[in-house]
Amino acid sequence: MANPVELRSLNAWSTSKNFTSPFYTGAIVHGVYDANHTSTVDIAFDPSTLPTPWPIIVASIGLSLITASWALYTIRKGSNRSWVAGLCFSLLNTVRSFAALVSASRALAGHGGLWPAPSSTCALVLSNIPYTYRSPAPFDSVAIINTLLSFTALGITGLAPWYRWEGLSYGKMSIFGGNCPAFVSLCPDQSQLNYAGCGWIDPKDPNYQFDGSTIVSLVEKIIGMAFFAPLALGSWIVVFLVIGLLAKAFSGITEWLSDPDWEPANCDKHRRRQKVFLILKVVFISIAGLATISAHLNQELSKPIYPSVLLDSFGPVRNLSTESAGDSWTDCFVVDLPYGRLGFMDIWWSTAKSRPEHILGLL
């Protein structure tokens, strides 16, 4: 047990976790040791880390899958209907890619944005790539820019859980309310507590740390990181690749502006190789989609079997081995994790309606 003389009050520590919750937390819960002990402590999603409702996830993954599949099955040389429809998908991806980058940037900066799901952003990246070589100029160059925009958004959302260990990222929960709350896996026997009041728990003690991980956050973390396996080649190689793609995109746009040509792209060259890569992209989107949809359904629809236990205290710290507790106390509080039939759709919409990028990006 840490020496309370060496520790500051947990008030400063808990304040960093005390966000305004979209789940209207603040309800009174009663202590396990003594029902007269009350607290407003709770566990819920922060407004920015709220998981995207499962119907939106299904629609987002589905749209990206349709977009990628269109490039695989219907864009043909000389078929005006096919390539015009493909351009419509490409322009739709332009809107979604810009929206994804704005949404991810706002969330990272803490300006009230919602974290996009890494899986849906990953699917958007993969649905962009086929149009970089199956669209007529200058839309092939536009598709390259779309790919880089969505890839940057994916970098923000997919890598955030890895470089923001104690920060917020998609699907993570936080502790709200209370006086000086701390997380415990099991409620300890009251006789094992040598102290009472706020200030005796070391926030660095792993026994009392709450990382906020959920099924959704873990699945999305894996999907996001799997997409960045090429980073193992080295960050400088990736930088040069991005610069090269941007140069190619702007060169293509400039060349087209100097001599506009509306002929469909010639896709005969390397057709077999293109089909293989397109099939792999469709398969990856499908696998990632099934994984994330299953995780969202499990997280958002299922009531947790086991509730969570939190410690909360009141009053100045007291060493119970040398003095009485007086008005100070420490108690366990049992709280239920949130769940909803439509995946918190009403709460998501209350934020998204004032943030058009979430609706436009369908992320």
Side-chain angles (χ1 to χ4, degrees):
M1 193 72 66
N3 187 344
V5 177
E6 299 175 353
L7 301 176
R8 294 182 178 270
S9 170
L10 279 181
N11 286 334
W13 176 48
S14 62
T15 299
S16 65
K17 297 288 186 183
N18 194 12
F19 306 98
T20 302
S21 171
F23 290 95
Y24 314 109
T25 53
I28 300 298
V29 287
H30 296 270
V32 173
Y33 303 147
D34 188 339
N36 292 320
H37 298 161
T38 60
S39 176
T40 58
V41 70
D42 208 342
I43 294 177
F45 295 104
D46 181 79
S48 67
T49 67
L50 183 73
T52 305
W54 66 263
I56 303 296
I57 286 291
V58 171
S60 179
I61 298 293
L63 179 57
S64 295
L65 187 59
I66 292 172
T67 304
S69 298
W70 184 269
L72 177 61
Y73 294 112
T74 64
I75 296 182
R76 304 292 184 185
K77 178 185 177 182
S79 175
N80 292 330
R81 183 176 61 180
S82 294
W83 76 261
V84 170
L87 292 183
C88 292
F89 279 122
S90 185
L91 292 175
L92 176 62
N93 277 353
T94 300
V95 175
R96 296 187 67 201
S97 298
F98 271 103
L101 182 58
V102 172
S103 180
S105 299
R106 288 179 65 92
L108 181 65
H111 291 161
L114 290 165
W115 282 98
S119 58
S120 57
T121 312
C122 176
L124 176 59
V125 173
L126 293 176
S127 69
N128 270 318
I129 293 176
Y131 294 89
T132 62
Y133 51 82
R134 298 187 69 87
S135 298
F139 296 100
D140 54 347
S141 298
V142 173
I144 292 176
I145 296 175
N146 292 344
T147 303
L148 294 176
L149 289 175
S150 54
F151 188 79
T152 303
L154 177 60
I156 295 174
T157 60
L159 296 180
W162 298 91
Y163 64 78
R164 291 163 57 93
W165 293 101
E166 298 182 357
L168 295 175
S169 58
Y170 184 84
K172 294 191 72 172
M173 288 184 167
S174 300
I175 297 177
F176 297 84
N179 300 309
C180 45
F183 178 79
V184 287
S185 56
L186 294 172
C187 182
D189 189 278
Q190 190 174 10
S191 61
Q192 297 177 350
L193 298 180
N194 297 324
Y195 299 94
C198 287
W200 61 272
I201 298 177
D202 184 355
K204 297 182 180 180
D205 189 335
N207 294 319
Y208 300 104
Q209 289 185 346
F210 178 72
D211 65 0
S213 295
T214 63
I215 294 176
V216 165
S217 68
L218 291 175
V219 170
E220 294 289 345
K221 183 178 180 179
I222 294 172
I223 292 175
M225 196 58 199
F227 200 83
F228 281 90
L231 287 177
L233 297 175
S235 57
W236 284 109
I237 295 179
V238 176
V239 171
F240 286 130
L241 179 62
V242 170
I243 293 175
L245 288 174
L246 282 175
K248 180 181 178 181
F250 286 107
S251 174
I253 293 175
T254 303
E255 182 179 342
W256 182 87
L257 289 175
S258 63
D259 184 18
D261 182 7
W262 293 99
E263 287 298 318
N266 186 348
C267 299
D268 288 332
K269 190 177 181 180
H270 307 306
R271 181 182 295 273
R272 181 176 298 178
R273 185 187 305 173
Q274 292 176 6
K275 285 185 177 181
V276 171
F277 283 118
L278 282 171
I279 290 173
L280 291 176
K281 292 180 179 67
V282 170
V283 169
F284 189 92
I285 292 175
S286 301
I287 294 175
L290 288 175
T292 189
I293 290 171
S294 299
H296 279 78
L297 287 172
N298 182 278
Q299 183 74 53
E300 298 174 353
L301 294 180
S302 304
K303 182 177 181 178
I305 300 177
Y306 301 103
S308 296
V309 181
L310 299 171
L311 281 181
D312 199 14
S313 303
F314 174 82
V317 63
R318 304 288 187 184
N319 188 336
L320 300 181
S321 61
T322 60
E323 58 184 327
S324 63
D327 293 332
S328 300
W329 52 260
T330 294
D331 208 331
C332 293
F333 296 88
V334 179
V335 297
D336 291 319
L337 300 182
Y339 66 98
R341 183 170 59 89
L342 290 178
F344 323 125
M345 180 68 80
D346 55 338
I347 301 171
W348 181 87
W349 174 252
S350 65
T351 299
K353 65 182 180 182
S354 60
R355 300 282 189 268
E357 65 270 14
H358 303 307
I359 301 173
L360 293 173
L362 195 64
L363 297 170

